[in-house]
Amino acid sequence: MIWSKDETLSRDELEKLQTKRLKETVARVYGAVPFYKKRFEELGLVPQDIKSIHDISKLPLTKKQDLRDNYPFGLFAVEQDAVVRIHSSSGTTGKPTVVGYTKSDMDVWNEVMARCYTMSGVNSEDTVHNAYGYGLFTGGLGLHDGAQTVGAAVVPSSGGFTSRQLLLMKDFGSTVLASTPSFALHLAEVALKEGYDIKKDFKLKCGIFGAEPTSEGLKEEVAKVWGVEYYEIYGMSEIIGPGVSNSCKEHNGLHIFEDHFYPEIIDSKTGEVLPYGEKGELVITSLTKQAFPIIRYRTGDITSLDQTPCRCGRTHVRMKSVMGRADDMLIVNGVNVFPSQVEHVLANVEEITLNYQIIADKKGYLDSLEIMVEVNDQMPMDSIGALENLKKKIQSELLNNLYINAKIKLVEPRSIERSMGKAVRVIDKRGK
Ligand code: DLL
């Protein structure tokens, strides 16, 4: 089933709608947000210069730093009394970024989330166990409201309290798990430790996983251990929250809801727009948002777009799963390291689990890279020979596949601290 007919518009109809909505958005930000007016003026642009969606590349790019510089409400385009919800990033570095919603923005959010659930085969007969964090993070409330929109029962469990979550999932007969992939794996690990029989005790049919870069290997592991169909959801608070895109039953990419969010791919060094199929940084323009419209936002996420028809019947362009962040790519002794690629290599090594941390540091003038990996329960920790061989194996896999030279530290099962939200995969000690 497809939630909205707008997901199946012909390319022609879609472009007309996008053009109309882009013009409205440009006029709105020009009139109401001094930051955008100034940017437009610097480029000698007025709203009338935007005649079609194809003129979008004339518009200036917006960066995360612009949000921080205008903290908290400088980029809002409505008066405070029209705002009904405020969210904020966790702000691991610098000031947090703040986003706001009007009533109609909330309707759009619920609508796109309903599309995601429907795409994942979820309907009013389902019970959604929602283990995304509730609070300033958009994951919890976004997945919550969307589940209600499709009429599903939602269990707002949020993160943490793993044992209790398992108990509720079992006793309430939840059919859908909504969580980060790393937390899904953690839940399974604890379930096995506590003696649950996963296939018998739980009724899960699918999972809606997202919010963090995830290798194919980890996805397969989550699907296998829970015996569920793995659906992927993507989004970010600056655009709306979760619900920018979602994978359909064809599992060939994530449909971006182009009638609300216009995607482009740019070369992150030059800003040049790249054609469909090429890999680069995803840039998104909101086409319908009122409180916090955003023009050509540099998401920092590396992906590519595919406009070929999808068998599911939706016409919206598909993005590949995020391959990494333009800005958290590690450069170690001149070699680009994408954490998700490291994870992919680790996923093919049998004797370890996918709980790991990549630690970048400096030794004299040179960078050093250490990868701390948990071995699995079958690995004899007292056999020095076996551990040495395993280290060498992982090292040569990393060297052969990614050309990176890393020191491997093998640690006991369950010894790396678990995160209840997004997993901490990279620790970069260099600038400190
Ligand atoms: O993570 C929104 C979200 C919540 C998405 C729940 C999916 C599920 P932020 O905290 O603003 O919002 O973080 C946004 O997370 O730019 C990506 O780098 C990353 N991200 C989100 N979804 C995925 C995904 C939410 N499916 C940032 N794959 C984004 C890889 C993802 N990375």
Side-chain angles (χ1 to χ4, degrees):
M1 194 195 140
I2 296 179
W3 181 260
S4 160
K5 65 171 178 26
D6 289 345
E7 293 171 82
T8 58
L9 293 176
S10 69
R11 294 305 307 177
D12 241 24
E13 289 169 319
L14 190 59
E15 280 190 12
K16 273 194 198 117
L17 186 63
Q18 289 171 329
T19 292
K20 176 176 166 282
R21 290 179 168 177
L22 178 67
K23 284 185 184 169
E24 287 165 3
T25 299
V26 166
R28 188 174 326 118
V29 298
Y30 190 81
V33 187
F35 162 82
Y36 283 114
K37 185 156 194 243
K38 184 159 167 271
R39 280 281 167 95
F40 283 28
E41 281 169 357
E42 282 163 6
L43 293 172
L45 269 180
V46 287
Q48 293 72 25
D49 293 327
I50 305 303
K51 296 187 172 60
S52 107
I53 191 72
H54 302 293
D55 291 326
I56 196 163
S57 56
K58 293 181 182 164
L59 297 170
L61 293 160
T62 306
K63 297 206 284 287
K64 210 181 215 14
Q65 190 57 41
D66 297 323
L67 272 70
R68 296 198 179 113
D69 293 345
N70 289 281
Y71 176 86
F73 305 135
L75 297 184
F76 283 20
V78 295
E79 296 298 327
Q80 201 64 24
D81 67 347
V83 175
V84 300
R85 175 79 74 77
I86 294 171
H87 278 279
S88 163
S89 73
S90 43
T92 37
T93 46
K95 273 190 189 156
T97 50
V98 181
V99 299
Y101 305 75
T102 62
K103 173 89 184 45
S104 85
D105 294 331
M106 291 304 298
D107 292 343
V108 169
W109 196 7
N110 292 341
E111 154 78 22
V112 290
M113 278 309 309
R115 293 181 187 181
C116 294
Y117 275 112
T118 308
M119 235 186 240
S120 312
V122 178
N123 58 39
S124 60
E125 287 166 11
D126 286 299
T127 300
V128 178
H129 185 89
N130 186 12
Y132 284 109
Y134 280 65
L136 286 173
F137 175 54
T138 50
L141 286 166
L143 272 286
H144 180 99
D145 291 344
Q148 288 188 341
T149 307
V150 296
V154 56
V155 183
S157 61
S158 196
F161 306 106
T162 315
S163 299
R164 197 189 60 184
Q165 303 233 14
L166 291 166
L167 186 85
L168 300 182
M169 277 165 70
K170 175 173 176 280
D171 291 349
F172 296 176
S174 297
T175 52
V176 181
L177 173 60
S179 75
T180 57
S182 56
F183 192 62
L185 215 49
H186 174 62
L187 276 170
E189 196 176 62
V190 175
L192 292 172
K193 210 170 92 200
E194 293 187 354
Y196 285 98
D197 177 336
I198 291 196
K199 304 279 151 60
K200 271 210 200 111
D201 291 334
F202 300 97
K203 294 210 175 68
L204 293 182
K205 65 171 192 190
C206 74
I208 304 186
F209 303 113
E212 61 187 10
T214 313
S215 68
E216 287 311 309
L218 199 143
K219 287 179 193 171
E220 279 162 23
E221 186 118 357
V222 169
K224 196 168 100 201
V225 67
W226 280 109
V228 294
E229 191 159 1
Y230 189 112
Y231 285 92
E232 180 174 352
I233 185 165
Y234 168 83
M236 78 222 49
S237 49
E238 293 88 329
I239 301 302
I240 193 118
V244 170
S245 65
N246 202 89
S247 57
C248 66
K249 65 178 184 346
E250 301 296 327
H251 300 291
N252 55 4
L254 288 76
H255 288 282
I256 301 179
F257 303 118
E258 281 183 274
D259 50 335
H260 294 290
F261 316 117
Y262 187 81
E264 299 168 272
I265 296 288
I266 63 164
D267 177 323
S268 43
K269 285 207 185 75
T270 62
E272 181 203 351
V273 179
L274 300 175
Y276 283 127
E278 278 192 35
K279 192 167 101 175
E281 182 177 349
L282 180 67
V283 165
I284 299 183
T285 300
S286 72
L287 295 176
T288 47
K289 282 207 349 218
Q290 305 293 316
F292 181 73
I294 193 152
I295 302 288
R296 301 193 79 210
Y297 182 65
R298 296 185 63 154
T299 64
D301 293 321
I302 304 294
T303 182
S304 63
L305 299 178
D306 182 353
Q307 219 194 39
T308 56
C310 179
R311 280 212 300 253
C312 76
R314 292 175 182 84
T315 50
H316 289 175
V317 70
R318 283 166 284 135
M319 61 182 268
K320 281 227 167 87
S321 289
V322 172
M323 300 160 198
R325 297 261 319 157
D327 50 5
D328 85 359
M329 180 180 76
L330 295 166
I331 303 182
V332 180
N333 293 323
V335 179
N336 295 351
V337 180
F338 278 96
S340 55
Q341 290 179 330
V342 171
E343 190 181 279
H344 191 73
V345 169
L346 296 180
N348 289 322
V349 180
E350 257 173 36
E351 300 89 335
I352 58 175
T353 71
L354 280 178
N355 292 299
Y356 67 94
Q357 269 175 346
I358 301 170
I359 302 153
D361 207 345
K362 273 227 172 287
K363 285 224 165 77
Y365 290 110
L366 285 181
D367 292 329
S368 69
L369 191 68
E370 182 179 75
I371 303 181
M372 187 154 71
V373 198
E374 279 183 14
V375 298
N376 64 21
D377 283 317
Q378 285 76 50
M379 190 69 201
M381 284 307 276
D382 49 359
S383 165
I384 294 171
L387 291 176
E388 275 312 311
N389 284 342
L390 178 55
K391 271 192 204 174
K392 280 197 195 121
K393 175 169 152 184
I394 301 173
Q395 255 166 349
S396 73
E397 288 291 315
L398 288 167
L399 198 59
N400 293 339
N401 289 291
L402 307 175
Y403 311 106
I404 63 173
N405 214 334
K407 187 174 160 220
I408 307 298
K409 186 172 174 190
L410 298 173
V411 296
E412 304 259 2
R414 292 169 289 281
S415 60
I416 295 178
E417 202 185 322
R418 300 293 191 265
S419 142
M420 292 304 166
K422 300 191 190 207
V424 180
R425 299 297 197 198
V426 180
I427 300 173
D428 198 339
K429 297 180 174 167
R430 290 173 297 179
K432 301 192 180 126

